[in-house]
Amino acid sequence: LTGLCRSKRLTHNNRRASVVVQSSRTASQIDTSAVVQRLAQAGIEVPDSAAQRNPSLSISSEEQITSKVEPMLEFLVVEQDLQPQDIEVMLLRCPKLFSFSVERQCRPVVTFLAGLGFNQQQLSATIRRFPHMLGYDTKGHLVPHCHYLKSLGLTDEELPKLILARPHVLVSICNSSHGDGYPCLMAS
């Protein structure tokens, strides 16, 4: 498993071998966790802001690396064909990314989007732009949002196009004075 990620990574990224820290702190002041170090081995720089906003990245646990980081790396690098620099941006947008369960959250979301007609390139683009989506419950959140969007008159052909253009429509809820709590289209 790790070999797959490493061989895929090596073909994509031979430029870095260690974490590059972009802050005013000195190297001796930096406490890098096992998780951050493993991501650095994969060529992924964990931005300080992401590490600060997500305590799970600062936990030095071999169990966490085995149960969360390795499966997520395989999912993102091998299955979704994302580059280390894509994952770095995704971590800035969604610091909790590596706390998501690949089996319980990420794969069902990808399967759901593929069922809407997304091809692999579209899946990767959507995940890259809106990584939070990988943490949502498919049946309890994404399906009802899609049903609501279809109730507004969107066709099966238009729905994937809308999600590609504005993936946040699947996670936005109106905070209207009506208190209806219906999903709505919000301008970005």
Side-chain angles (χ1 to χ4, degrees):
L1 182 67
T2 304
L4 285 173
C5 287
R6 284 188 183 143
S7 65
K8 182 106 175 170
R9 181 188 73 243
L10 289 175
T11 61
H12 292 300
N13 184 11
N14 287 326
R15 71 189 189 288
R16 288 187 287 227
S18 63
V19 176
V20 177
V21 178
Q22 297 177 351
S23 74
S24 59
R25 296 182 295 169
T26 66
S28 63
Q29 295 172 311
I30 298 166
D31 180 27
T32 57
S33 72
V35 174
V36 172
Q37 290 173 6
R38 174 59 188 103
L39 293 175
Q41 291 171 355
I44 300 166
E45 175 187 332
V46 178
D48 283 345
S49 60
Q52 291 167 359
R53 290 175 18 209
N54 187 7
S56 68
L57 289 175
S58 63
I59 297 171
S60 297
S61 163
E62 189 62 37
E63 184 274 330
Q64 184 179 18
I65 292 171
T66 303
S67 68
K68 295 283 188 178
V69 177
E70 293 295 339
M72 185 60 80
L73 279 174
E74 180 184 354
F75 175 77
L76 296 172
V77 174
V78 177
E79 296 178 34
Q80 300 306 313
D81 199 30
L82 295 170
Q83 304 296 313
Q85 59 269 24
D86 296 329
I87 298 169
E88 291 169 7
V89 172
M90 291 169 66
L91 275 169
L92 282 172
R93 291 180 179 159
C94 182
K96 293 182 179 182
L97 181 65
F98 280 88
S99 66
F100 296 158
S101 167
V102 171
E103 294 302 321
R104 286 180 289 138
Q105 293 171 300
C106 302
R107 279 207 179 94
V109 169
V110 168
T111 301
F112 173 76
L113 293 174
L116 291 178
F118 281 58
N119 63 34
Q120 184 59 48
Q121 183 180 3
Q122 293 168 326
L123 284 169
S124 294
T126 303
I127 292 167
R128 216 177 10 257
R129 286 184 57 220
F130 202 79
H132 292 86
M133 186 181 296
L134 291 173
Y136 287 102
D137 175 40
T138 304
K139 292 179 183 173
H141 193 91
L142 298 177
V143 170
H145 276 66
C146 284
H147 285 299
Y148 177 73
L149 292 169
K150 286 182 178 183
S151 78
L152 294 176
L154 286 166
T155 66
D156 289 338
E157 295 79 28
E158 294 169 328
L159 186 59
K161 291 176 186 174
L162 175 65
I163 295 169
L164 278 168
R166 296 185 180 275
H168 65 277
V169 299
L170 290 180
V171 295
S172 301
I173 300 292
C174 280
N175 291 323
S176 67
S177 59
H178 305 287
D180 56 14
Y182 284 112
C184 68
L185 305 179
M186 299 175 74
S188 56

